[in-house]
Amino acid sequence: QVTLRESGPVLLKPTQTLTLTCSFSGFSLSTREMCVSWIRQPPGKALEWLARIDWDDDKYYSTSLKTRLTISKDTSKSQVVLTMTNMDPVDTATYYCARIRGVDYYMDVWGKGTPVTVSS
Amino acid sequence: DIQMIQSPSSLSASVGDRVTITCRASQGIRNSLAWYQQKPGKAPKLLLYAASRLESGVPSRFSGSGSGTDYTLTINSLQPEDFATYYCQQYYTTPQTFGGGTKVEIK
């Protein structure tokens, strides 16, 4: 059974750096064509794709956020980490990680999400 | 980036109705389209991929079609558990992008 779980701070102040961890089980990111993506959703708004890391350590970022994002993986720990610098209240959202199981980059299993609020 | 425009943004329907949601891409995406269902307070759930392929375990009343830039999600005989928000997502190019969502409400 594939599961993913997001963890990180619930509350941040403006300008701080967000570090989120996605801990997963049931698959390995060292397996060919496996990937993990991060997606966020501000309250009452649509989903927004943020970043993806592939089994071969290729990394991809949202065009509008790429200067602020870094994604990395620790295959031995079955974890993917996303950092976002210079947080702002508009970054308040639920952050999800999700698995991609092949060369077609749709997300087949999602974590439950973790809420992040940015406020002074 | 490819823009995904969903319509309508919301609709009201009754149990048993047939519902159609449309997603239009700003350029051709060659059937690289997924549909997700999201209920309040829950993570999205994959329904279909490759525009028309049903994810395992998803009821057959959900179907998808389309080509080029225009795609459709159809729900036949709407059930009470289908009231939710639906999102399309293109994965033809990176960054992958989502539509704005369609909220299906009870009439």
Side-chain angles (χ1 to χ4, degrees):
Chain A
Q1 182 189 5
V2 173
T3 64
L4 303 97
R5 178 173 52 87
E6 306 87 351
S7 59
V10 175
L11 182 62
L12 282 173
K13 296 185 185 304
T15 76
Q16 287 186 323
T17 294
L18 171 67
T19 299
L20 294 171
T21 300
C22 176
S23 302
F24 57 86
S25 64
F27 70 99
S28 172
L29 254 185
S30 61
T31 300
R32 189 176 183 87
E33 297 178 356
M34 287 292 173
C35 315
V36 169
S37 276
W38 283 94
I39 305 98
R40 72 178 179 179
Q41 185 173 39
K45 295 189 177 181
L47 301 166
E48 179 183 16
W49 183 87
L50 298 177
R52 189 183 88 231
I53 189 163
D54 296 354
W55 64 280
D56 57 0
D57 211 36
D58 281 348
K59 301 165 187 176
Y60 303 87
Y61 297 101
S62 159
T63 301
S64 59
L65 294 169
K66 60 185 176 183
T67 60
R68 299 173 53 204
L69 293 172
T70 303
I71 192 170
S72 62
K73 64 181 174 75
D74 185 330
T75 302
S76 64
K77 291 184 178 179
S78 294
Q79 290 182 335
V80 170
V81 174
L82 181 76
T83 62
M84 181 181 293
T85 61
N86 195 26
M87 292 291 284
D88 183 271
V90 299
D91 297 312
T92 294
T94 295
Y95 287 74
Y96 298 96
C97 63
R99 184 189 77 159
I100 294 164
R101 67 186 176 206
V103 294
D104 291 329
Y105 299 111
Y106 56 86
M107 283 72 82
D108 69 329
V109 184
W110 294 60
K112 293 183 177 181
T114 188
V116 176
T117 299
V118 184
S119 175
S120 54
Chain B
D1 298 4
I2 294 178
Q3 308 303 312
M4 304 299 292
I5 305 298
Q6 263 183 261
S7 61
S9 57
S10 65
L11 64 90
S12 296
S14 301
V15 173
D17 284 353
R18 180 181 185 186
V19 168
T20 299
I21 298 168
T22 298
C23 193
R24 172 166 289 177
S26 58
Q27 66 184 74
I29 58 173
R30 302 188 70 174
N31 287 4
S32 298
L33 185 92
W35 289 97
Y36 302 89
Q37 176 193 66
Q38 187 180 33
K39 296 182 179 179
K42 301 294 187 182
K45 172 189 172 183
L46 177 67
L47 297 176
L48 298 108
Y49 59 95
S52 61
R53 300 188 70 172
L54 207 61
E55 174 68 348
S56 177
V58 174
S60 59
R61 63 181 178 273
F62 292 92
S63 63
S65 63
S67 63
T69 60
D70 295 330
Y71 298 86
T72 299
L73 171 69
T74 299
I75 311 172
N76 283 302
S77 188
L78 197 68
Q79 297 299 299
E81 60 267 31
D82 300 336
F83 292 95
T85 300
Y86 295 84
Y87 293 94
C88 61
Q89 176 229 340
Q90 68 79 21
Y91 52 89
Y92 182 64
T93 64
T94 299
Q96 287 90 66
T97 44
F98 290 92
T102 297
K103 186 174 184 179
V104 177
E105 299 176 297
I106 301 173
K107 183 183 286 184

